Amino acid sequence: MVAYDNVYADISFILHDQDLFPLLRFLLEDDKVKHKILFGSDYYVVSQKNTEKDLHLNLRGYLGNDLFEMIASDNPRRFLSTKFKEY
């Protein structure tokens, strides 16, 4: 993500492992990559570990509303926007 402009990360399955939350927060403080991290759930995979609702609430509780909104709303909107269509 640092070396290539068009490389993004979807954090989907790491949601089940709260030991990785500090690493995610660290990356979200890095100006080079924070806008390239996208929230995802991969529902069928993560549902083996916990409910999607609980996974979402655990991550949101850890990150806080601002960082969660960045990865769940702002970053995906920027990722999906093009010169032809802006979301």
Side-chain angles (χ1 to χ4, degrees), residues 24-25 28-29 34-35 37-39 56 59-78:
L24 176 59
R25 182 185 289 271
L28 290 173
E29 293 171 357
K34 69 182 182 183
H35 66 281
I37 298 172
L38 309 171
F39 173 78
H56 160 261
L59 181 62
R60 189 177 197 130
Y62 180 82
L63 292 179
N65 285 334
D66 291 341
L67 287 178
F68 186 81
E69 285 299 315
M70 181 174 65
I71 64 172
S73 183
D74 301 338
N75 291 354
R77 184 177 297 117
R78 187 178 306 110

Side-chain angles (χ1 to χ4, degrees), residues 11 13 23 27-28 32 41 52 55 60 74 84 86:
I11 63 163
F13 193 62
L23 174 60
L27 291 172
L28 290 173
K32 294 178 185 175
S41 66
E52 188 173 14
L55 292 165
R60 189 177 197 130
D74 301 338
F84 304 107
E86 190 169 319

Side-chain angles (χ1 to χ4, degrees), residues 12-58:
S12 58
F13 193 62
I14 72 162
L15 295 176
H16 84 281
D17 188 350
Q18 292 186 11
D19 291 341
L20 295 174
F21 286 8
L23 174 60
L24 176 59
R25 182 185 289 271
F26 175 78
L27 291 172
L28 290 173
E29 293 171 357
D30 184 334
D31 289 335
K32 294 178 185 175
V33 297
K34 69 182 182 183
H35 66 281
K36 297 174 146 195
I37 298 172
L38 309 171
F39 173 78
S41 66
D42 280 352
Y43 170 74
Y44 296 106
V45 178
V46 297
S47 66
Q48 297 173 31
K49 301 292 183 182
N50 207 338
T51 68
E52 188 173 14
K53 180 179 179 181
D54 286 341
L55 292 165
H56 160 261
L57 291 174
N58 290 340

